[in-house]
């Protein structure tokens, strides 16, 4: 814990002091530079005691819809340290102190799930990002989970992305599965009881969850990127959701068990 405090004081704070004003000016000018964002997330991983392993590679410089499982708010820090993506988040996060401000600097797209009209607006923004050749990441379960299994992917989210893609004129779009797995805690395999100190358990408050993660031991998280595939406007969204869900589930089971990753069906 002492090392984390020293890292926060002498590394993390200086990065924020320089990086935050820089990103604020850049975003106000309508520009974007991933370098400072990635550095911030890298420092966040170090501060939280996370070692991030990557299998495969995120799609870069191409219009891509990345669909992933979701375990904790630390998923965003882990992914942000390795990939240049636009996150889609619930609107409540925009109001969180500091977190909402930092998420906005990263061009996070917010959606109010209670309003259909807002979902349509967010979908259009997703389409614009993909049309410009960027990657948009969806936590396709629609909520976080313990990390032992994958909840059903919501086909409506993929369908909305398809529709937005058409409207924005994004021709060749890829869909890429991503599996997030927390595999080790203090160097040992993560057991089911350990996952309550990693995942965002709904029975716990945000403050309690943050405190447990910050005071907990070091953890290893693996990001396994699957093979990108073409996402056509006329593809069956339910079939696509099921295919990517199955691939993410297979990879999660293998990573949790420490066995070789399965080969995706063509």
């Amino acid at each position: 814990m002492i090392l984390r405090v020293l890292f926060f004081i002498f590394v993390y704070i200086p990065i924020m002091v320089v990086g935050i004003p820089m990103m604020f000016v850049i975003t106000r000018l309508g520009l974007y530079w991933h370098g400072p964002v990635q550095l911030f997330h890298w420092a966040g991983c170090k501060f939280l005691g996370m070692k991030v392993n990557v299998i495969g590679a995120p799609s870069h410089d191409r219009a891509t819809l990345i669909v992933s499982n979701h375990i904790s708010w630390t998923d965003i820090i882990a992914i942000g340290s390795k990939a240049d993506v636009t996150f889609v988040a619930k609107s409540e996060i925009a109001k969180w102190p500091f977190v909402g401000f930092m998420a906005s600097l990263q061009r996070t797209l917010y959606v109010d799930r209670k309003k259909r009209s807002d979902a349509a607006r967010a979908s259009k923004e997703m389409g614009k990002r993909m049309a410009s050749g960027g990657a948009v990441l969806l936590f396709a379960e629609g909520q976080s989970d313990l990390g032992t299994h994958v909840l059903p992917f919501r086909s409506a989210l993929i369908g909305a992305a398809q529709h937005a893609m058409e409207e924005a004129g994004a021709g060749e779009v890829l869909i890429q599965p991503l599996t997030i797995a927390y595999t080790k805690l203090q160097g040992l395999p993560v057991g089911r009881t350990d996952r309550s100190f990693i995942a965002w358990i709904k029975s716990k408050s945000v403050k309690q969850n943050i405190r447990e993660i910050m005071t907990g031991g070091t953890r290893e998280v693996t990001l396994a990127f699957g093979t990108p595939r073409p996402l056509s406007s006329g593809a069956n969204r339910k079939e696509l959701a099921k295919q990517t869900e199955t691939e993410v589930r297979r990879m999660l089971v293998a990573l949790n068990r420490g066995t070789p990753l399965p080969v995706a069906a063509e």
Side-chain angles (χ1 to χ4, degrees):
M1 188 62 187
I2 294 177
L3 291 177
R4 289 193 191 184
V5 172
L6 292 175
F7 182 86
F8 182 79
I9 294 173
F10 294 107
V11 179
Y12 209 3
I13 289 180
I15 287 176
M16 288 191 288
V17 169
V18 175
I20 292 176
M22 181 190 301
M23 285 305 300
F24 181 78
V25 172
I26 290 173
T27 54
R28 287 294 180 179
L29 293 175
L31 304 174
Y32 182 71
W33 180 22
H34 183 60
V37 174
Q38 188 169 13
L39 179 62
F40 176 79
H41 285 305
W42 170 85
C45 288
K46 294 294 183 182
F47 175 58
L48 295 173
M50 286 199 301
K51 178 183 178 182
V52 184
N53 304 307
V54 178
I55 298 175
S59 177
H60 285 298
D61 302 321
R62 294 191 65 182
T64 307
L65 176 66
I66 300 176
V67 289
S68 172
N69 63 316
H70 189 25
I71 299 171
S72 170
W73 54 272
T74 56
D75 298 349
I76 296 172
I77 299 174
I79 296 168
S81 70
K82 299 295 182 179
D84 182 7
V85 300
T86 295
F87 291 98
V88 180
K90 58 184 181 181
S91 57
E92 294 93 318
I93 291 178
K95 301 176 183 178
W96 290 3
F98 185 70
V99 175
F101 175 71
M102 293 303 298
S104 297
L105 289 184
Q106 194 176 330
R107 303 190 305 170
T108 296
L109 298 177
Y110 301 108
V111 55
D112 188 340
R113 296 171 184 171
K114 299 176 183 178
K115 297 181 180 178
R116 290 187 178 182
S117 58
D118 197 57
R121 177 200 56 77
S123 295
K124 289 181 181 179
E125 288 297 320
M126 288 168 55
K128 290 179 182 178
R129 298 287 169 88
M130 287 188 287
S132 64
V136 173
L137 188 142
L138 281 176
F139 291 119
E141 297 162 299
Q143 61 181 343
S144 59
D145 194 52
L146 196 61
T148 54
H149 60 283
V150 176
L151 298 174
F153 280 7
R154 296 186 177 182
S155 60
L157 296 175
I158 295 177
Q162 282 179 296
H163 181 67
M165 177 185 77
E166 279 185 66
E167 288 192 344
E172 296 182 1
V173 175
L174 301 176
I175 182 168
Q176 182 176 33
L178 166 62
T179 301
I180 304 168
Y182 290 80
T183 55
K184 291 185 179 180
L185 184 63
Q186 290 290 73
L188 299 174
V190 175
R192 187 175 182 84
T193 55
D194 298 322
R195 295 193 179 279
S196 62
F197 298 104
I198 296 174
W200 191 335
I201 308 300
K202 292 179 176 59
S203 60
K204 296 182 179 180
S205 66
V206 175
K207 290 182 179 180
Q208 184 181 1
N209 180 257
I210 292 175
R211 183 172 62 251
E212 289 179 346
I213 287 177
M214 292 183 65
T215 58
T218 58
R219 69 213 67 197
E220 288 190 29
V221 54
T222 297
L223 306 177
F225 290 90
T227 303
R229 298 175 180 175
L231 173 62
S232 62
S233 58
N236 187 305
R237 71 180 191 185
K238 291 185 178 180
E239 186 175 324
L240 273 173
K242 191 62 180 178
Q243 288 175 352
T244 52
E245 175 194 323
T246 299
E247 187 170 349
V248 169
R249 180 177 290 109
R250 287 174 178 171
M251 289 195 291
L252 180 65
V253 169
L255 290 169
N256 284 342
R257 291 178 177 175
T259 58
L261 292 181
V263 178
E266 295 295 334

